[in-house]
Amino acid sequence: MDKIRGNRVLSGTWAEVWYNGIKLLEVNKINIKVTVNREDVQVGIDVDTKMTGIKGEGTMALIKAFTRFEDVRQEIARGRDPRGTIITKLKDPDATGAQTERYQIGNIALSEFGFEYEKGAVVKQEVPFSFTPTDMINLDAVQEV
């Protein structure tokens, strides 16, 4: 492949998200990030780094159409730490070879619960979470053909 055409670039418009098997129709945006923790190591005059761990974090942004995650908040209020699973799917009809990208992310721990009401505005909700990166599995990848 010599170049990428604009119509082959994936668009988040086609993304779908499930939490514990329930499709979240109102997800407007999802951000998932794996960070490598490193410590400096001096070797002679050079300062290099040593990987010491990995950390997973993310945020789901929703337009509020339903009461979501209240059951999780109540469990936390009872002193329990429920964990969930997120599955993401991106099936852009213009993707190379009509392929799909999917991820399953386990051990999801929701971190914050809240929302803001404002007159004349759509109610939005941000739900940050953490996860263990070793519980992140690429189920389908969009490959070059």
Side-chain angles (χ1 to χ4, degrees):
M1 182 181 295
D2 292 14
K3 60 169 89 170
I4 298 171
R5 300 288 183 194
N7 65 326
R8 295 296 181 227
V9 175
L10 301 175
S11 169
T13 299
W14 305 101
E16 298 175 310
V17 178
W18 288 260
Y19 180 79
N20 286 348
I22 298 170
K23 188 173 183 179
L24 303 178
L25 299 171
E26 68 277 23
V27 169
N28 198 33
K29 178 179 172 180
I30 188 164
N31 172 314
I32 298 167
K33 174 174 74 169
V34 175
T35 303
V36 179
N37 296 332
R38 297 185 172 276
E39 285 193 33
D40 286 349
V41 177
Q42 187 157 350
V43 181
I45 194 71
D46 293 326
V47 176
D48 200 349
T49 62
K50 172 68 176 173
M51 182 179 72
T52 59
I54 51 179
K55 178 180 182 179
E57 299 175 289
T59 303
M60 287 184 284
L62 296 86
I63 50 175
K64 193 158 179 67
F66 308 103
T67 301
R68 295 284 189 202
F69 312 116
E70 178 60 16
D71 55 336
V72 177
R73 187 194 66 77
Q74 287 178 12
E75 284 294 300
I76 290 171
R78 291 183 191 104
R80 298 185 190 100
D81 189 7
R83 302 300 170 104
T85 300
I86 287 176
I87 293 180
T88 66
K89 175 182 172 186
L90 181 55
K91 187 165 182 61
D92 188 322
D94 268 341
T96 302
Q99 299 175 80
T100 300
E101 180 179 76
R102 288 188 317 137
Y103 282 91
Q104 175 180 302
I105 306 160
N107 201 32
I108 297 287
L110 303 182
S111 307
E112 292 179 18
F113 304 88
F115 49 86
E116 181 177 310
Y117 298 145
E118 179 181 342
K119 287 190 181 204
V122 171
V123 177
K124 297 177 183 174
Q125 181 177 11
E126 294 229 342
V127 183
F129 58 88
S130 62
F131 63 94
T132 43
T134 54
D135 289 303
M136 183 174 176
I137 302 165
N138 178 237
L139 301 171
D140 296 301
V142 177
Q143 306 287 332
E144 285 185 57
V145 289

